[in-house]
C-alpha cells in the first residue's frame, strides 16, 4: 500500500499603494494613487501562476456551482473534458461572466494544468467537499480521459 502525499499551495495577492510609488505630481491624498493603478484580473494571475508552476489543479471560486447538465439547472457535471465543453459552448448559452471562468479553465488544461475546478465559493467548506468526496462540489474540467486519477477510472 503506497500513500501519496499532495501539497496544496494557496496564493493570496494583496496590492497596496505606498508612498514610494507615486510620481512627482502633487497628490490630493491616497485616493489619487488608487485612481492611477491598473486592474489585474485575479483569474488571469491564477492561470499564469498555475501554468508556470505546472500545477496539478487550478480552482476558481465563483458564484456558479459548476457547469449545469441541462437548461433546468438542477444538476452539474462532476467532471467534463475540454472537448465536451467545446460542444456545449456551441449548443448552449452561458452567462458572460461564467464564460470567463470557463475559458480560463480551458486555457489552463490546454497549457498543462491537469484539471481546473469551478466551485461555488458561497458554499461553506466547498474546498474539502470537492477534494474529499467522490462527486465533489462543482465541475472539474480535464483535457481528456487520460488525465483521470486512478480512483476515477
Amino acid at each position: 500500500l503506497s500513500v501519496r502525499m499532495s501539497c496544496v499551495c494557496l496564493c493570496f495577492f494583496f496590492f497596496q499603494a505606498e508612498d514610494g510609488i507615486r510620481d512627482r505630481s502633487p497628490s490630493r491624498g491616497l485616493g489619487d494613487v488608487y485612481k492611477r493603478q491598473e486592474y489585474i484580473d485575479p483569474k488571469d494571475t491564477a492561470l499564469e501562476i498555475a501554468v508556470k508552476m505546472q500545477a496539478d489543479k487550478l480552482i476558481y471560486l465563483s458564484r456558479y456551482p459548476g457547469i449545469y447538465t441541462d437548461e433546468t439547472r438542477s444538476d452539474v457535471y462532476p467532471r467534463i473534458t475540454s472537448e465536451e465543453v467545446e460542444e456545449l459552448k456551441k449548443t448552449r448559452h452561458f452567462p458572460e461572466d461564467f464564460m470567463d471562468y470557463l475559458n480560463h479553465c480551458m486555457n489552463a488544461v490546454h497549457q498543462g494544468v491537469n484539471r481546473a475546478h469551478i466551485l461555488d465559493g458561497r458554499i461553506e467548506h466547498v474546498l474539502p467537499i470537492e477534494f474529499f468526496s467522490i462527486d465533489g462540489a462543482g465541475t472539474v474540467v480535464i483535457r481528456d480521459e487520460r488525465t483521470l486519477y486512478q480512483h476515477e477510472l
Side-chain angles (χ1 to χ4, degrees):
L1 179 72
S2 72
V3 176
R4 184 174 151 191
M5 298 294 287
S6 297
C7 176
V8 175
C9 176
L10 298 175
C11 298
F12 295 97
F13 296 94
F14 297 97
F15 297 96
Q16 181 177 354
E18 295 182 14
D19 267 351
I21 63 169
R22 294 187 195 166
D23 55 21
R24 294 188 182 269
S25 63
S27 175
R28 295 181 301 270
L30 192 56
D32 189 41
V33 174
Y34 285 115
K35 290 177 189 172
R36 292 190 312 248
Q37 290 181 346
E38 294 290 325
Y39 174 73
I40 298 173
D41 188 348
K43 291 185 290 292
D44 293 336
T45 305
L47 172 62
E48 189 173 331
I49 290 171
V51 169
K52 297 269 189 217
M53 292 181 62
Q54 300 174 343
D56 185 52
K57 298 176 191 287
L58 174 61
I59 300 161
Y60 287 115
L61 298 178
S62 71
R63 64 184 183 101
Y64 298 98
I67 302 173
Y68 291 108
T69 56
D70 55 28
E71 295 294 333
T72 64
R73 298 182 174 199
S74 58
D75 202 13
V76 296
Y77 291 101
R79 71 170 178 259
I80 191 167
T81 66
S82 59
E83 187 177 303
E84 293 168 329
V85 170
E86 290 299 335
E87 290 300 315
L88 278 178
K89 285 166 61 174
K90 293 176 188 173
T91 61
R92 193 178 306 160
H93 172 74
F94 293 108
E96 187 177 329
D97 57 336
F98 182 74
M99 279 300 297
D100 194 32
Y101 284 106
L102 202 50
N103 289 332
H104 278 83
C105 288
M106 296 290 286
N107 289 339
V109 298
H110 287 293
Q111 292 182 51
V113 176
N114 192 33
R115 47 189 56 215
H117 300 253
I118 299 175
L119 304 177
D120 188 341
R122 301 169 297 177
I123 298 174
E124 192 172 357
H125 310 298
V126 72
L127 290 174
I129 294 169
E130 178 69 14
F131 293 147
F132 301 118
S133 66
I134 302 286
D135 289 332
T139 300
V140 60
V141 178
I142 57 175
R143 186 169 185 157
D144 54 42
E145 297 290 327
R146 294 177 297 179
T147 58
L148 290 173
Y149 294 144
Q150 185 67 31
H151 71 276
E152 295 175 319
L153 297 175

